[in-house]
Amino acid sequence: ASSRVFWQFVVQVARQIQERHPDRLVGVFGGYAGYGNPEVAGQFELPSNIAVCITKSRWDFWDPERRAAIRRLISSWSELTDHVYIWEYYIWNWRGWSARPKLVGYPVFFPHILQDDIRFQRDHGVRGEKVQNEVWTQSYPGLNHLIVYLTGRLQYDPDLDVDDLLDDYYTTFF
């Protein structure tokens, strides 16, 4: 209900910041609640210094509908700004507010989904990604190690062969 008011405010602040500090960005989260709706933001003439961070979780991408919804969100924001970023959640083993059951103690592992998503993000101009990975707080330090390794390698080169990376990981780590 307040999405238009929110975007009016953001646009006004972004314009003022752009006048005084043309090299600075104004960041907003484009994945939380209704205010992150690109359809509403697109009704405004957005200044070029608006950066949008989309929050998501690849572990939901086994569901084609969820994957398609996130891809639509990324595509829509990419049409509105050149500054799209991702906040990725790999907090698999304790996150209890999703449709999937709690899987405490199970590793996070979806290498081909990961590569497909990183390629999609590259192809849609996503500038960067922050991975939230807090399994160490639950005394399971190795559960996300492999997916974090793959994420790092694929962020630098999304076209690497995932199966070769897995062979390298298994050989080096074990």
Side-chain angles (χ1 to χ4, degrees):
S2 61
S3 191
R4 285 193 56 77
V5 173
F6 172 81
W7 281 104
Q8 286 172 333
F9 174 76
V10 168
V11 167
Q12 288 175 3
V13 168
R15 286 186 182 141
Q16 289 177 22
I17 297 292
Q18 196 168 44
E19 281 178 24
R20 296 183 190 135
H21 307 282
D23 59 333
R24 303 288 189 229
L25 298 174
V26 174
V28 297
F29 278 86
Y32 284 128
Y35 71 80
N37 186 337
E39 291 175 13
V40 176
Q43 295 172 12
F44 296 87
E45 188 176 326
L46 299 181
S48 61
N49 65 333
I50 291 180
V52 175
C53 185
I54 298 168
T55 57
K56 66 181 191 63
S57 296
R58 287 186 186 106
W59 51 257
D60 275 338
F61 280 18
W62 59 267
D63 178 352
E65 290 178 24
R66 179 68 179 148
R67 183 176 54 245
I70 294 297
R71 286 186 169 181
R72 282 191 302 273
L73 188 64
I74 291 170
S75 295
S76 295
W77 279 117
S78 294
E79 292 174 11
L80 297 175
T81 180
D82 291 333
H83 303 284
V84 176
Y85 300 87
I86 302 296
W87 188 314
E88 179 67 39
Y89 290 98
Y90 284 166
I91 316 171
W92 182 280
N93 69 319
W94 62 266
R95 187 172 177 196
W97 61 84
S98 70
R100 61 138 183 95
K102 276 189 149 184
L103 297 171
V104 174
Y106 288 87
V108 176
F109 190 68
F110 39 85
H112 294 280
I113 288 173
L114 170 68
Q115 182 171 45
D116 185 52
D117 188 46
I118 288 175
R119 285 177 176 172
F120 178 85
Q121 288 177 185
R122 174 200 59 198
D123 295 345
H124 287 81
V126 171
R127 290 187 160 213
E129 176 176 291
K130 182 236 186 275
V131 174
Q132 186 164 344
N133 182 34
E134 299 170 341
V135 297
W136 53 268
T137 62
Q138 298 294 316
S139 300
Y140 301 108
L143 292 183
N144 287 4
H145 192 264
L146 177 53
I147 204 71
V148 171
Y149 165 80
L150 290 174
T151 300
R153 295 292 307 270
L154 292 170
Q155 287 290 350
Y156 283 99
D157 186 353
D159 296 317
L160 291 172
D161 185 291
V162 171
D163 296 315
D164 287 346
L165 288 173
L166 291 172
D167 287 343
D168 175 61
Y169 178 88
Y170 299 143
T171 303
T172 304
F173 189 70
F174 295 109

